[in-house]
Amino acid sequence: MVEGTPRTYKDAGVDVEEEDEALKFMIKWCSKTFNFRPDVGKPVIPIGHFAGIIKFLDKYGLVLKTDGVGSKVFIAQLMNKYDTVGIDCVAMNVNDVICVGAEPLSFVDYIALQKPDKKMLEEIAKGLYEGAKLAKVTIVGGEVAQLPEMIKGKREGYGFDLVGMCIGVVDLEKIVDGKNLVEGDVVIGLESSGIHSNGLTLARKVLLDGAGMDVFSYIDDFGCILGEELLKPTKIYVQEVMEMIKAGLNIKVLANITGKGLLNLLRVGEGYGYVLENLPQPHPVFKLIQKIGKIPEEEMYSVYNMGIGFCIVASKEDADKVIDIAEKHKTKAYKLGFAVKDPERKLYLKSVKLLGFKGKFKRV
């Protein structure tokens, strides 16, 4: 290990707490725009949910979300392989749109380039196509910007940033926002495909910079080279979750497990927390990052999905139906735990003895 290898996300250069503080000012000013549209276009829920909703028709709201791939693009550059990051871009957006009970409809992308490369752009486009096919959305346009002074990368001439925006639709009377939570509701976790598109900065600093590994290093526990594992596309959960919603299951909360990991469960549902008793074993990639970086468990669970990419909180009566639908779509599902009344809104991970509160995990 190289001296100074980061043991936390902050050490790696990503200060989540400082970001949260800065975001308060963004939210303050953006919220002041809510009265600009008194009818069509009026926001329906406050900023802070997984996606925004605006009034569109009497019965329906439009749902909007934008997100990007982040520093996963560096792994694509090091591998000179760009055909999967488009899937990640679609996934990061559609998986948030479905969290309010909405059906994703369409998508646009934005690619900022160091300089245009035909092969790279075609591969990115193929990934966007594959993601759109999995999510059943159309791609109706986008933007390509050449910014050679701004965009740099890990491979000279191949620097890029990839961002997308998804629009969906939801019945205004069927928004999923945690308002119907009751004690004892069951938390079901859907497996992730791996690291997804969060925490790549820490992973790169630990594995590539700290341990001196190469993206072409073969890892026995992975059954593939390191770069292939890190490039595994973010799993898209649209089809299984849409089937659950359309089946009329009593779903209380939908949570995309991205940055901050399982703490995303606490983004909605006032007055309730959760006890998770049955967490699956994390994927080997998380174990490797933790072992080599000597990263505390509370930090790992604060940064990574640790094997659970999406959570559904449903009534006891419908929990097994949720699992049946997930497994019908070849997505492994776990009963993780249950909701509890808690005005402080804490998340207790019993099996690893961690308590999540106010945006971070602590050992208990």
Side-chain angles (χ1 to χ4, degrees), residues 117-313:
D117 179 88
K118 292 178 183 178
K119 177 180 179 292
M120 182 177 74
L121 281 172
E122 183 175 16
E123 287 195 11
I124 291 171
K126 285 180 179 178
L128 291 169
Y129 166 82
E130 289 298 327
K133 183 168 70 171
L134 289 168
K136 296 189 180 300
V137 298
T138 57
I139 300 177
V140 294
E143 178 73 17
V144 176
Q146 294 184 52
L147 302 169
E149 294 176 293
M150 292 175 61
I151 302 296
K152 307 296 179 184
K154 298 295 183 181
R155 182 185 289 265
E156 179 57 34
Y158 290 83
F160 72 99
D161 189 23
L162 178 59
V163 179
M165 176 183 168
C166 181
I167 188 168
V169 65
V170 66
D171 186 323
L172 292 172
E173 295 182 354
K174 296 180 180 179
I175 295 170
V176 178
D177 60 1
K179 62 180 176 293
N180 296 321
L181 268 172
V182 298
E183 197 160 50
D185 283 338
V186 180
V187 182
I188 298 119
L190 306 185
E191 66 175 351
S192 69
S193 56
I195 200 168
H196 284 186
S197 294
N198 296 98
L200 268 296
T201 297
L202 179 58
R204 288 186 297 103
K205 295 291 178 70
V206 168
L207 301 179
L208 301 180
D209 299 344
M213 299 173 74
D214 187 277
V215 291
F216 299 103
S217 300
Y218 184 85
I219 310 296
D220 288 336
D221 287 346
F222 299 169
C224 63
I225 61 175
L226 177 60
E228 287 176 344
E229 177 65 32
L230 295 179
L231 277 184
K232 281 182 179 176
T234 304
K235 187 170 175 59
I236 291 174
Y237 300 98
V238 171
Q239 294 190 43
E240 45 266 67
V241 172
M242 283 297 98
E243 184 170 338
M244 295 170 196
I245 291 170
K246 290 175 181 179
L249 301 188
N250 192 3
I251 293 172
K252 314 298 186 73
V253 170
L254 295 163
N256 191 14
I257 308 304
T258 54
K260 297 188 180 179
L262 289 163
L263 289 165
N264 281 284
L265 270 167
L266 301 175
R267 290 178 67 171
V268 293
E270 290 297 324
Y272 285 87
Y274 300 94
V275 176
L276 304 189
E277 302 175 302
N278 305 303
L279 295 174
Q281 280 293 310
H283 293 320
V285 66
F286 301 119
K287 294 180 179 180
L288 184 67
I289 294 167
Q290 183 172 13
K291 179 181 177 181
I292 290 180
K294 298 180 180 179
I295 299 171
E297 197 139 56
E298 55 266 36
E299 185 69 13
M300 292 296 296
Y301 277 89
S302 294
V303 175
Y304 296 109
N305 68 64
M306 300 300 280
I308 296 295
F310 199 91
C311 283
I312 298 133
V313 184

Side-chain angles (χ1 to χ4, degrees), residues 81-150:
K81 184 178 186 298
Y82 310 97
D83 59 345
T84 60
V85 288
I87 302 175
D88 289 290
C89 190
V90 174
M92 295 299 286
N93 287 280
V94 297
N95 286 345
D96 272 356
V97 165
I98 60 177
C99 286
V100 295
E103 182 170 8
L105 299 178
S106 197
F107 186 87
V108 293
D109 63 88
Y110 170 79
I111 306 172
L113 295 166
Q114 188 174 10
K115 68 178 185 179
D117 179 88
K118 292 178 183 178
K119 177 180 179 292
M120 182 177 74
L121 281 172
E122 183 175 16
E123 287 195 11
I124 291 171
K126 285 180 179 178
L128 291 169
Y129 166 82
E130 289 298 327
K133 183 168 70 171
L134 289 168
K136 296 189 180 300
V137 298
T138 57
I139 300 177
V140 294
E143 178 73 17
V144 176
Q146 294 184 52
L147 302 169
E149 294 176 293
M150 292 175 61

